[in-house]
Structures are given as structure tokens and as C-alpha cells.
Amino acid sequence: MKNMFWAQRPREKEEIKEFITNERCIIVFDTNVLLGLYRNKKKNSEQFLDLMKSYRERLKLPHQIALEFFNNREKVIQKDYIRIQRDLLEKLNKILENISKQKNSYNEISIKCTELGNNNESIEDIFQRLSDLISSKIDELETQIKKEKEHLLKDDWILKEIYKLFENKIWKGFSKNDKEKLDSEGKIRYTKHIPPGFMDSPKSEKEYEYNIYGNNNLYGDFYVWSEIITNAKENKQDVVFVTDDEKCDWYRLDSNHRILGPNP
């Protein structure tokens, strides 16, 4: 029974440790994990890259994941800096609003107190200088964020590390004929909700477009899965697949959408 339902049963820590430390076991990082390096704080990304380097000899990269990474890298960088700018401006504008409210509150109190009223002009000047200083910093920060974004796009330190980690470690991918067969199989699998990838299924396949490489984004997860299975069988290797995906076409989830284990 234990062997028959190996995919559903919980794993013991020692079992997981033995599996990961096995030299026959390769490690594959999903696209969302690689792109996540651009979304994290620099210190966290550096630490994660150091962890990846410690397993350098066992890393492999499916062609589909490499393709998705390069197709989305610049978009992720752009979006992340837009998010940083938006969040920063929102916080600074709230500070300005609070200064304005405190200034008005002070003026209301100072009218009732002669001593405060005599110092009213100097206090108001402090409020105004503080407000002007923050406003000027907003402009400086916007300029700095734009410069950092352009610098990362042109001189990408993360990309340089990715190049080193996966040099000569990318699988060749599938031929055009193989992809056509996978698309046909994927359509059937998605209709029957066979994992992985069926959560990416739209109401119409027209929502997805084939890119210049002939890849259909609709079956991207299925391409990745098929590459992993094909290469693992050919080379007789175990695989640890590291993903940031939390959808039910990859995992079994409880009623609160917490991960229970892989979805077989």
C-alpha cells in the first residue's frame, strides 16, 4: 500500500533528506522561482543564489523554463520597479497628509493660547520646511528608482549569476512535431483536469498566442512537466522540482488552500 500510493502519502524528514542528498537526484527550478530573484530584496536574492550555487553540479534547466524566463525577465523588472515607486510614493504622500493635518491641528490649538500664538509663525515655518523637504525627496527618489531600473536592465547582476549557474545545463527542448503532439495531449489532459497545468486553461485557446519560438503558453506547465519526465527517464535520475506555484494543478490543497502535498 505504501508503495502503491507513494504520491499521496506524507513524507518523513529523513526520507526527504535521503532523497535530496542522493547524487542521482537533480534539481530543477521553475520559472517563477528564477523570476522571483528580481522581486525579492537584494540580500535575500544573494542568499538564495548562494544556496543554488551549493547544488551547482546537480542543477538542470528545462528549455521551456529558460524560454519563459527570458520572455518575462524585462517585464518583471519593469513591474517590480513600478510597484516600488507606487508603494514609496503612497507612503510619502501619507506622511505629507499627516503633516498637513498636524499643522491644522496645531493652528486650532494655538488660537486659544496666547503664548503659542506668538510662536505660531515659526512653528508654521517648521511644518512648511518639513513638507517641502519631503516633496523634494519624492522627486529625487523617483529619479533614483528610474536610474536603478535602467541600470539593472542593462547590467543585470542576477542574469550574470543565472548564466554561470546554468551554463551547459539547459535541455534541448522538444521539436515542432513533438510540441504539436504535446498540444493535442495537453488539450485532453486539461479537459479532464489531469495535472499539471489545467488551471492555466482559459475559456478559449485564442486567449493564448504562439510566440516566435512556436511555443503555446497555454501548455507551458505541461511542456515543463514533460521535459522533466522525459529527461529523468532517459538519464535514470530522480528530480526535485522547486516551484513557487501554489495552484491545485500542482498541489493537493485543504479547504483553506494550504498545501498538503503534490497533486498526482
Side-chain angles (χ1 to χ4, degrees):
M1 183 177 182
K2 184 177 180 181
N3 292 331
M4 184 179 294
F5 294 95
W6 60 271
Q8 288 91 343
R9 68 178 176 82
R11 305 283 175 165
E12 298 177 1
K13 288 184 179 180
E14 287 302 317
E15 186 180 11
I16 295 173
K17 183 179 179 181
E18 182 180 351
F19 183 84
I20 293 176
T21 55
N22 188 334
E23 291 184 0
R24 289 192 306 108
C25 178
I26 60 171
I27 301 173
V28 174
F29 288 94
D30 200 0
T31 313
N32 48 47
V33 176
L34 299 181
L35 292 175
L37 293 168
Y38 293 100
R39 299 186 180 105
N40 296 329
K41 293 180 179 178
K42 185 175 182 180
K43 182 179 179 181
N44 293 340
S45 293
E46 288 174 338
Q47 290 176 342
F48 195 81
L49 283 166
D50 286 340
L51 178 63
M52 293 174 70
K53 290 173 186 176
S54 66
Y55 293 98
R56 185 193 305 268
E57 299 305 317
R58 294 161 58 191
L59 297 181
K60 292 293 181 182
L61 192 64
H63 186 273
Q64 176 67 19
I65 289 178
L67 182 61
E68 290 175 357
F69 172 78
F70 281 105
N71 282 349
N72 290 281
R73 171 186 154 270
E74 292 180 346
K75 296 175 188 175
V76 169
I77 293 174
Q78 296 277 6
K79 285 183 179 179
D80 193 53
Y81 275 95
I82 289 173
R83 177 189 60 79
I84 292 171
Q85 183 173 335
R86 182 193 65 233
D87 292 348
L88 193 60
L89 291 177
E90 185 178 321
K91 291 184 184 300
L92 289 174
N93 282 322
K94 282 184 179 179
I95 293 174
L96 286 174
E97 289 176 10
N98 190 45
I99 290 173
S100 179
K101 288 179 182 178
Q102 295 302 322
K103 177 183 176 182
N104 293 335
S105 177
Y106 173 82
N107 287 338
E108 289 175 5
I109 296 172
S110 66
I111 292 174
K112 300 176 183 179
C113 180
T114 305
E115 291 300 322
L116 287 175
N118 293 335
N119 294 315
N120 197 39
E121 186 175 352
S122 60
I123 298 296
E124 282 193 357
D125 287 344
I126 292 174
F127 276 120
Q128 189 60 51
R129 287 199 301 273
L130 183 57
S131 181
D132 291 343
L133 178 61
I134 293 174
S135 295
S136 66
K137 288 298 178 183
I138 288 176
D139 294 335
E140 289 180 17
L141 287 170
E142 283 185 305
T143 301
Q144 184 62 32
I145 289 171
K146 184 178 180 180
K147 285 182 179 179
E148 287 187 13
K149 178 189 71 177
E150 296 301 324
H151 178 72
L152 184 58
L153 286 169
K154 293 177 181 178
D155 188 19
D156 186 346
W157 68 275
I158 292 176
L159 184 59
K160 291 177 181 177
E161 295 295 334
I162 295 294
Y163 283 153
K164 295 175 186 176
L165 280 169
F166 294 103
E167 184 68 28
N168 299 319
K169 293 179 180 292
I170 301 177
W171 292 327
K172 65 180 181 179
F174 297 112
S175 66
K176 185 177 180 180
N177 288 336
D178 287 337
K179 288 174 184 175
E180 290 176 354
K181 292 177 182 178
L182 287 172
D183 288 351
S184 297
E185 184 182 350
K187 187 173 183 178
I188 296 172
R189 290 172 64 97
Y190 283 23
T191 301
K192 295 182 178 181
H193 281 198
I194 300 174
F198 62 79
M199 288 299 291
D200 293 332
S201 180
K203 295 179 180 178
S204 169
E205 288 191 30
K206 291 181 180 179
E207 293 181 30
Y208 285 77
E209 295 181 357
Y210 283 81
N211 58 35
I212 59 173
Y213 298 96
N215 286 319
N216 187 344
N217 295 323
L218 172 57
Y219 302 114
D221 282 358
F222 184 46
Y223 284 178
V224 170
W225 182 251
S226 299
E227 273 195 75
I228 291 174
I229 297 298
T230 299
N231 284 277
K233 284 182 177 179
E234 288 180 356
N235 299 293
K236 295 184 168 123
Q237 293 172 313
D238 295 325
V239 181
V240 170
F241 180 54
V242 184
T243 181
D244 199 29
D245 203 327
E246 296 181 352
K247 299 194 297 294
C248 65
D249 56 346
W250 282 104
Y251 296 105
R252 291 179 292 113
L253 307 175
D254 66 13
S255 57
N256 294 315
H257 297 280
R258 290 175 298 196
I259 295 172
L260 297 173
N263 188 349

